């Protein structure tokens, strides 16, 4: 389901590299976009700030100016990665979680597809459709003393509205794919109220009056999340579109990335009704930050996914074809894929193919 292509004279792209290797892979994605040339409108870039590192320097993780430029002066964006600490830091809140909410980017669409003979084993071709605004990521957590020690509580929010719209998105995506299957991932056997509402709402999507029967040919399956992970590793071929609440979707897509050889290959878009933001699935990878060996392919593929979502199919396809060729030839790869090449060398190889 792509955003309608309006006739644009230019495409304004907000670049938010944020932390760690985000600052290495977003420039790579920018170069790939620039290489596409006449198949997309003239490009205008805005360099924007966000991230934990910014917070440590300035006390702000997501400046109002970043949000304003994304809202008012950008058609789309590319986000790199953020490295939030694992402990509570006063005044800090994850900028990526906030941005998804601020821009109402309710769907995190994460296609995981192997190229050629999959070094990870069986061929994989699935899409994780992750609800992006609710679940435990509403971050309503409290901690209170109790007689037996401190007690921490979190609110898990699942609404019918958000479940319905992510369900519709999953069906729309399935409709465009050969297998036309949606699998709802949940844990309703334990969380019968929250996951129960998610499951029940999505099961009802094909019968909604406004849907008018258009999903009648989409096969609807469901799977308990723990068994879904087990089966994902043993039989990835049973999945086509997996639709999940925020936390399960986050975990499942990293797990699925393992099946195609590296997190450094898996792209995503955060999509809403009026805005789309490409974002590699990987994090900020502090262990390799600054070494020049980060895999740029997930970010480059995220740019391609973003273009296609905006209606620039040909531009997106050209980038993807170039990336796939580089992977299949196997000569210029970063160390996460068993290669010895640098980020810059991989980018050069992709640019030549585009
Ligand atoms: N590009 C995905 C990414 O940055 N992943 C790391 C992540 O989820 N971080 C959450 C956070 O640090 O707030």
């Amino acid at each position: 389901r792509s955003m309608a292509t309006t006739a644009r004279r230019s495409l304004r792209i907000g670049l938010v590299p944020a932390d760690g290797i985000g600052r290495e892979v977003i420039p790579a994605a920018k170069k790939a976009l620039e290489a596409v040339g006449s198949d997309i409108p003239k490009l205008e870039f805005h360099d924007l700030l966000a991230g934990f590192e910014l917070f440590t320097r300035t006390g702000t993780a997501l400046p109002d100016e970043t949000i304003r430029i994304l809202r008012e002066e950008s058609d789309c964006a590319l986000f790199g990665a953020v490295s939030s600490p694992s402990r509570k830091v006063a005044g800090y809140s994850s900028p990526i979680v906030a941005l998804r909410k601020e821009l109402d980017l309710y769907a995190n669409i994460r296609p995981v597809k192997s190229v050629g003979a999959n070094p990870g084993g069986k061929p994989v071709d699935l899409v994780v459709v992750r609800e992006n605004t609710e679940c435990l990521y509403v971050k309503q957590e409290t901690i209170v003393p109790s007689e037996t020690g401190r007690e921490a509580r979190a609110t898990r929010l699942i609404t019918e509205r958000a479940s319905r719209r992510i369900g519709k998105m999953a069906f729309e995506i399935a409709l465009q794919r050969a297998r036309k299957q949606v699998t709802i991932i949940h844990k309703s056997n334990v969380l019968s109220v929250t996951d129960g509402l998610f499951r029940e709402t999505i099961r009802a999507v094909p019968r909604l009056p406004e849907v008018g029967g258009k999903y009648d040919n989409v096969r609807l399956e469901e799977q308990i999340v723990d068994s879904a992970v087990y089966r994902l590793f043993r039989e990835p071929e049973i999945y086509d579109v997996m639709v999940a609440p925020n936390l399960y979707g986050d975990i499942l897509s990293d797990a699925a990335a393992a099946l195609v050889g590296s997190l450094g290959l898996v792209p995503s878009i955060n999509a809403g009704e009026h805005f789309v933001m490409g974002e590699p699935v990987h994090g900020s990878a502090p262990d390799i930050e600054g070494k020049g060996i980060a895999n740029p392919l997930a970010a480059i593929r995220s740019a391609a996914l973003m273009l296609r979502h905006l209606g620039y199919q040909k531009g997106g396809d050209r980038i993807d074809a170039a990336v796939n060729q580089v992977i299949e030839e196997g000569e210029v790869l970063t160390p996460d894929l068993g290669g010895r090449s640098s980020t810059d060398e991989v980018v050069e190889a992709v640019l030549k193919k585009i």
Side-chain angles (χ1 to χ4, degrees):
R1 179 160 95 153
S2 69
M3 281 161 66
T5 317
T6 46
R8 293 184 183 91
R9 276 206 319 239
S10 69
L11 191 59
R12 302 165 304 165
I13 306 176
L15 298 177
V16 196
D19 292 319
I21 64 166
R23 294 194 283 250
E24 297 166 45
V25 299
I26 292 303
K30 179 183 177 186
K31 284 185 187 158
L33 286 167
E34 286 171 330
V36 173
S38 62
D39 285 322
I40 53 177
K42 181 171 153 302
L43 300 174
E44 282 172 31
F45 294 99
H46 297 297
D47 292 316
L48 303 174
L49 296 174
F52 184 66
E53 194 269 331
L54 179 74
F55 174 82
T56 56
R57 278 192 291 115
T58 67
T60 306
L62 183 59
D64 289 344
E65 185 65 356
T66 294
I67 301 175
R68 189 192 67 75
I69 292 180
L70 289 175
R71 275 218 183 101
E72 296 173 14
E73 297 176 20
S74 309
D75 300 302
C76 55
L78 285 175
F79 189 93
V82 58
S83 40
S84 301
S86 299
R87 61 184 198 288
K88 175 93 189 130
V89 172
Y92 178 77
S93 189
S94 165
I96 184 62
V97 175
L99 255 186
R100 290 167 181 160
K101 282 211 81 160
E102 282 286 341
L103 302 171
D104 200 23
L105 304 176
Y106 67 88
N108 196 313
I109 302 167
R110 300 182 152 187
V112 185
K113 187 171 184 203
S114 52
V115 174
N118 183 17
K122 293 180 177 179
V124 179
D125 184 3
L126 57 88
V127 185
V128 177
V129 179
R130 164 184 170 192
E131 200 291 318
N132 221 13
T133 60
E134 300 194 332
C135 192
L136 284 165
Y137 288 51
V138 293
K139 301 199 331 153
Q140 288 171 19
E141 296 184 290
T142 54
I143 188 156
V144 288
S146 80
E147 279 172 15
T148 53
R150 287 173 298 164
E151 212 172 89
R153 290 173 186 235
T155 296
R156 182 167 190 253
L157 177 72
I158 301 284
T159 66
E160 207 170 355
R161 171 178 179 261
S163 305
R164 188 176 295 127
R165 64 183 182 173
I166 200 69
K168 283 184 180 172
M169 179 65 93
F171 276 97
E172 275 308 312
I173 291 170
L175 215 49
Q176 293 159 23
R177 292 172 57 86
R179 304 232 336 260
K180 302 193 180 358
Q181 178 189 296
V182 169
T183 307
I184 308 170
I185 309 298
H186 62 83
K187 187 80 185 175
S188 297
N189 51 341
V190 178
L191 302 170
S192 56
V193 176
T194 46
D195 275 352
L197 181 61
F198 185 80
R199 168 183 176 273
E200 182 189 303
T201 305
I202 296 180
R203 287 202 74 88
V205 163
R207 298 190 303 277
L208 291 170
E210 70 266 26
V211 162
K214 72 172 162 164
Y215 304 138
D216 286 353
N217 292 331
V218 177
R219 188 184 161 97
L220 181 58
E221 301 276 344
E222 59 178 270
Q223 189 95 53
I224 304 287
V225 62
D226 41 349
S227 117
V229 174
Y230 180 77
R231 297 194 71 184
L232 177 67
F233 277 91
R234 292 182 71 97
E235 331 160 68
E237 68 277 9
I238 68 169
Y239 295 113
D240 184 25
V241 177
M242 305 173 87
V243 59
N246 209 338
L247 178 62
Y248 306 155
D250 193 358
I251 297 167
L252 266 174
S253 46
D254 275 33
L259 297 173
V260 293
S262 173
L263 252 182
L265 290 175
V266 182
S268 83
I269 48 170
N270 300 274
E273 292 304 326
H274 308 292
F275 201 78
V276 58
M277 185 169 78
E279 181 192 2
V281 166
H282 64 71
S284 61
D287 53 330
I288 57 164
E289 177 185 354
K291 295 187 177 164
I293 55 166
N295 191 337
L297 298 181
I300 293 173
R301 281 175 157 174
S302 300
L305 210 54
M306 179 186 81
L307 283 183
R308 274 203 298 272
H309 192 82
L310 288 165
Y312 304 110
Q313 184 75 34
K314 199 166 167 199
D317 287 351
R318 277 182 54 202
I319 295 179
D320 273 342
V323 168
N324 291 349
Q325 262 182 286
V326 168
I327 297 170
E328 275 198 276
E329 288 173 8
E331 282 161 20
V332 189
L333 298 175
T334 42
D336 56 307
L337 290 172
R340 298 160 72 99
S341 305
S342 66
T343 307
D344 288 347
E345 287 164 342
V346 173
V347 174
E348 275 314 305
V350 172
L351 296 184
K352 268 193 208 142
K353 307 269 185 212
I354 295 175

